Amino acid sequence: MSLAREQGAPPRRQGLARPPRLDPFWVVKRLLPRTLFGRSLLIITTPVILAQAIATFYFYDQHWERVTNNQAFGVAGEIAMVIEQLGRDQTPEDRGVTLAMVTRTTDLMVTFQPDERLPNWRRQHLFGILEHTLGRALDEKVGRPWIIDTHVAHEWYGINVQLPDGVLHVLSPERRLFSFTSWVFILWMAGSSLLLFTIAIMFMRNQIRPIRRLAIAAEAFGKGRDTPAFKPEGASEVRQAATAFLQMRERIQRQISQRTEMLAGVSHDLRTPLTRMRLQLAMLPEAQEVEELKADVTEMEGMIEAYLAFARGEGAEPPAPTDVGALLSDVVANARREGRRVELTLPEMAIVVPLRANDFRRCVANLVGNAVRYAGRAWVTLQRQGGHLYVLIDDDGPGIPVDMREDVFRPFHRLDGSRNQATGGVGLGLGIARDIANRHGGNVLLEDSPRGGLRAVIRLPV
């Protein structure tokens, strides 16, 4: 695996290793929310849902089912009592008196049709819980063939019982068989839960918002963008983390400022004696030793300039929206004016991201300069994949061994084998390029190029 793949270069299409399908931890991890808000809400809602589910099940098992069972058996018992009384009555007039008394004293409407038979009677298939309970009660209390009609009228149940000499028709109101307080209880639980969940979501959003702002501020600072409006807020732990972040940002900015001031003094202190040495050498008669000293002074001035460029830090240039394609076109055009063979490939749509344009131009120019210095041609490609911007710089040169690709980013480090020391710089070009990319929140990586040489990848978050 190449170094670029290990550190986040553009992904190639490869088969992803999948964990075992039967791994329960992997399944749970995939099902859990990824955000802190989602996980916090899950922590709050899961116990409430479980508690309500247990309470509902207990209520249904201990109350609703028992009440429904008692009511159904009560109706079935009254029907059995009517049947028994009708069996004792000797005349139709006596049966009429019994039926009138039942209708007057109970909620049941009872009629008797002599010489009637239940049509095609057989064991009825019941679907509802209430029908099953009522059917079981009729079997135990009445013990005769019966049919339950649930469509006889709205909120009424029809119960037809086959007697030896006719059919007993019973109309029972639904309230005699079903307790509506069960639905009231369930709806009250569901409504209160929704209200509590809404309140929890509102409070949780207020608690998560400071953490999200802290993450945005940290990400912006990592990309080299300032966030002056950020201030600590939220819970005490979040305020503590935000305060620590502000202190860290202040220390880093103070360190950068001190380094810039120090380097300004170093630049002045070193350039002054070098200038005097150059003037004194110019006044000496021409000789081979004098020319060698002049070359040494020129080399020292180049090393100082390169070192100052490497250690300059962020500087005063603020990030601004920059057309990356136009910036790369300028860098390539400058290289072509110097007689270099460089090709540029840009996407169809312009890509504009906040950049320190001058620093980023120097980063790309250093990598392009390295590519054309040690190879015959260079190819520059701009890509955008997901949340990252990639600038690929390929060459067809000798490349760099894999085990030495990290060493070339060290200051003043030069390769003797794959890089020509006579034509090379002071060993700061790649270090400056990575330093600039790091200040933008990105990185510079090296990997094998499909052109046969080396590929330098600038990866920046957008």
Side-chain angles (χ1 to χ4, degrees):
M1 182 179 292
S2 65
L3 176 65
R5 289 294 295 161
E6 294 176 357
Q7 299 189 11
R12 299 187 178 95
R13 296 182 179 275
Q14 295 181 354
L16 299 178
R18 296 182 178 179
R21 295 183 179 180
L22 299 180
D23 187 359
F25 298 100
W26 179 79
V27 175
V28 172
K29 186 176 180 181
R30 292 296 299 269
L31 294 177
L32 287 177
R34 295 185 179 275
T35 63
L36 178 61
F37 175 76
R39 295 188 177 187
S40 301
L41 198 61
L42 184 64
I43 293 174
I44 294 175
T45 58
T46 299
V48 176
I49 293 176
L50 289 177
Q52 291 196 352
I54 294 172
T56 303
F57 176 78
Y58 178 80
F59 175 82
Y60 167 77
D61 185 58
Q62 299 295 327
H63 175 75
W64 188 80
E65 186 177 7
R66 180 177 297 178
V67 170
T68 302
N69 187 74
N70 292 340
Q71 289 179 318
F73 272 81
V75 172
E78 293 178 2
I79 295 175
M81 181 187 65
V82 172
I83 294 174
E84 184 176 351
Q85 182 61 37
L86 290 177
R88 295 176 181 176
D89 294 333
Q90 301 297 326
T91 63
E93 291 76 9
D94 294 337
R95 290 187 173 184
V97 172
T98 300
L99 297 177
M101 180 187 62
V102 172
T103 303
R104 185 177 62 255
T105 58
T106 66
D107 288 336
L108 303 179
M109 298 176 61
V110 184
T111 59
F112 178 74
Q113 296 295 332
D115 300 328
E116 184 181 354
R117 308 295 296 179
L118 290 179
N120 300 324
W121 180 88
R122 59 179 179 176
R123 172 61 66 177
Q124 186 178 4
H125 295 286
L126 302 176
F127 298 98
I129 298 177
L130 178 59
E131 287 81 358
H132 277 285
T133 304
L134 181 57
R136 188 174 66 253
L138 291 173
D139 287 336
E140 293 185 13
K141 294 293 185 178
V142 178
R144 301 192 66 85
W146 49 263
I147 292 179
I148 298 176
D149 187 2
T150 60
H151 305 288
V152 63
H154 181 61
E155 295 183 352
W156 286 82
Y157 277 76
I159 304 171
N160 304 318
V161 181
Q162 181 68 60
L163 300 181
D165 54 349
V167 175
L168 183 67
H169 298 276
V170 181
L171 288 179
S172 173
E174 189 178 10
R175 66 177 181 274
R176 288 293 309 274
L177 302 169
F178 180 77
S179 176
F180 292 94
T181 57
S182 304
W183 291 108
V184 174
F185 174 77
I186 294 175
L187 291 177
W188 181 85
M189 289 184 60
S192 62
S193 299
L194 290 177
L195 178 62
L196 294 176
F197 289 161
T198 303
I199 297 175
I201 289 173
M202 295 174 58
F203 277 96
M204 189 58 61
R205 281 186 176 275
N206 292 332
Q207 297 300 318
I208 296 298
R209 188 178 294 113
I211 301 177
R212 188 175 301 168
R213 289 178 179 174
L214 175 60
I216 293 174
E219 182 180 6
F221 184 68
K223 295 178 180 179
R225 307 167 191 171
D226 197 10
T227 53
F230 175 74
K231 60 180 181 179
E233 58 181 352
S236 58
E237 292 83 358
V238 181
R239 288 177 177 268
Q240 183 178 1
T243 303
F245 165 74
L246 292 176
Q247 294 174 352
M248 178 194 67
R249 185 180 68 177
E250 182 181 356
R251 288 194 297 268
I252 293 176
Q253 291 175 344
R254 183 169 60 248
Q255 180 184 7
I256 293 174
S257 177
Q258 292 174 352
R259 184 177 66 174
T260 303
E261 295 175 359
M262 180 191 68
L263 292 176
V266 170
S267 173
H268 179 271
D269 293 341
L270 291 181
R271 286 176 178 175
T272 300
L274 287 177
T275 302
R276 289 200 302 265
M277 293 174 62
R278 183 177 289 278
L279 290 176
Q280 292 176 359
L281 290 174
M283 297 173 59
L284 294 176
E286 295 184 1
Q288 182 177 0
E289 292 80 2
V290 174
E291 296 300 326
E292 292 177 354
L293 288 175
K294 288 181 179 180
D296 291 338
V297 171
T298 302
E299 183 178 358
M300 291 175 63
E301 289 178 344
M303 293 177 63
I304 292 173
E305 292 295 334
Y307 174 74
L308 293 178
F310 172 77
R312 186 173 291 117
E314 290 186 342
E317 182 185 9
T322 304
D323 187 342
V324 184
L327 187 147
L328 296 180
S329 299
D330 293 341
V331 174
V332 172
N334 292 335
R336 289 173 178 173
R337 281 193 292 270
E338 297 175 358
R340 307 295 187 178
R341 300 172 61 188
V342 183
E343 297 183 9
L344 177 63
T345 302
L346 299 176
E348 297 181 357
M349 298 183 62
I351 299 178
V352 179
V353 296
L355 292 175
R356 293 178 174 85
N358 293 331
D359 282 353
F360 191 72
R361 182 179 287 106
R362 180 189 303 168
C363 173
V364 178
N366 285 354
L367 297 176
V368 172
N370 276 0
V372 297
R373 181 180 298 115
Y374 302 110
R377 299 179 61 183
W379 293 263
V380 180
T381 306
L382 176 63
Q383 296 178 358
R384 183 171 185 172
Q385 297 182 12
H388 288 84
L389 179 73
Y390 295 94
V391 180
L392 312 179
I393 302 170
D394 297 288
D395 62 51
D396 57 356
I400 298 178
V402 176
D403 57 345
M404 304 181 69
R405 288 176 183 173
E406 278 299 304
D407 295 336
V408 297
F409 291 104
R410 291 160 47 193
F412 304 105
H413 182 84
R414 302 174 61 181
L415 298 179
D416 296 332
S418 60
R419 297 303 193 186
N420 190 339
Q421 186 177 5
T423 59
V426 296
L428 288 174
L430 291 176
I432 292 174
R434 174 170 279 187
D435 184 62
I436 294 173
N438 290 339
R439 292 202 298 265
H440 285 82
N443 201 0
V444 175
L445 311 168
L446 300 179
E447 63 177 357
D448 294 330
S449 171
R451 306 286 183 175
L454 185 69
R455 164 174 284 185
V457 181
I458 304 176
R459 179 172 57 90
L460 299 179
V462 293

